[in-house]
Amino acid sequence: MEGNKRYHFVLVHGLSHGAWCWYKTIDLLEKAGHKATAIDLAACGLHPADLTRITSFKQYNQPLIDVLASLEPSEKVILVGHSMGGVSLIDAAGRFPNKIAVAVYVSAMMLFGGFRISEYLQMHKVVNDDGTEQDIVLSGLLRRPFPSCCLKAEIKHSVEVIESVPRVFVKLEKDNAILVSIQDAMIRKHPPAQVLSLITDHSPFFSSPKELNDLLLQIAETYNS
């Protein structure tokens, strides 16, 4: 483990996914001696909530908020979000800025005001999971419909508070779901502290797990010095 430091990574999935999509990342981080907590947002993955009862983004994101609220007073995490998980990161940064050492947006929705269906239609093609054939089969078995409230998620936290949390954007150069042009547009609108790149597709936790892991450890070292 680099420098004998043990980091805590909190991993947030995108639409229709769950904590399960991070299984390779969790394995690599834990083998390196770090702690990895993958979240099932409400009615996602193994979360028991009834999809029809999740009517607000606040409810949808509550499992992440609960994890951050449970941290020790001095603990800070590396918060990592993929795709729509970026909106969860924005909400968390507005509510618990002192609990987050750095927020990492892996081709994620870095939209300070939230997310609306019009933006979804502009930004997304049909999302096909990448990775090995086994990963694609796994994803097909485990993906769940997402709560419709995700398509109109309003975030009303102070921009100043959100920006107090360092942000790193990880561009995915072969992303066919959130195109590079859209990633660049979000970076221009809300410039992060750092932009890094992976030459991979929309699902690096499947297709490029080692490269993603190495990047996350690099970010952790940079923002916990």
Side-chain angles (χ1 to χ4, degrees):
M1 185 164 53
E2 186 70 24
N4 293 321
K5 292 181 180 178
R6 185 173 187 261
Y7 301 119
H8 184 184
F9 295 83
V10 175
L11 311 170
V12 186
H13 61 80
L15 287 181
S16 295
H17 286 61
W20 56 265
C21 72
W22 298 101
Y23 77 100
K24 294 180 181 179
T25 302
I26 294 168
D27 180 59
L28 289 168
L29 290 172
E30 290 183 345
K31 283 179 177 176
H34 303 289
K35 182 178 180 180
T37 301
I39 307 296
D40 276 326
L41 297 175
C44 297
L46 296 177
H47 193 280
D50 182 342
L51 177 72
T52 62
R53 295 183 178 275
I54 305 302
T55 58
S56 70
F57 185 79
K58 182 178 180 180
Q59 287 177 293
Y60 174 73
N61 207 36
Q62 193 60 46
L64 171 59
I65 298 306
D66 289 344
V67 167
L68 295 177
S70 71
L71 296 174
E72 294 296 327
S74 61
E75 184 178 5
K76 289 192 173 187
V77 301
I78 296 91
L79 185 58
V80 183
H82 172 251
S83 196
M84 179 65 181
V87 181
S88 293
L89 267 60
I90 294 292
D91 183 36
R95 297 173 71 174
F96 289 97
N98 295 330
K99 296 292 186 181
I100 306 168
V102 59
V104 184
Y105 295 77
V106 182
S107 190
M109 292 300 176
M110 194 169 62
L111 303 169
F112 284 14
F115 185 77
R116 295 179 183 276
I117 182 61
S118 58
E119 292 171 306
Y120 176 87
L121 294 174
Q122 291 171 13
M123 292 182 177
H124 278 264
K125 296 182 177 181
V126 175
V127 175
N128 295 312
D129 284 301
D130 303 294
T132 67
E133 291 182 3
Q134 292 90 342
D135 292 328
I136 294 169
V137 170
L138 176 71
S139 181
L141 291 171
L142 296 178
R143 287 177 67 169
R144 293 173 62 179
F146 56 84
S148 60
C149 62
C150 293
L151 299 182
K152 190 179 179 182
E154 294 187 7
I155 305 296
K156 297 183 178 180
H157 304 305
S158 160
V159 171
E160 183 179 358
V161 172
I162 293 169
E163 289 188 330
S164 71
V165 176
R167 285 174 290 116
V168 175
F169 195 97
V170 178
K171 287 178 61 176
L172 303 180
E173 300 288 355
K174 295 184 178 181
D175 194 332
N176 290 319
I178 301 178
L179 302 178
V180 170
S181 60
I182 300 301
Q183 297 176 58
D184 285 338
M186 290 188 288
I187 290 166
R188 287 193 301 270
K189 186 172 183 179
H190 301 296
Q194 190 175 13
V195 178
L196 301 171
S197 296
L198 288 174
I199 309 301
T200 190
D201 50 45
H202 186 62
S203 302
F205 37 69
F206 290 152
S207 56
S208 302
K210 183 181 184 304
E211 292 81 359
L212 176 61
N213 179 73
D214 291 347
L215 210 59
L216 292 179
L217 292 178
Q218 174 188 327
I219 292 167
E221 283 291 312
T222 301
Y223 292 91
N224 281 276
S225 58

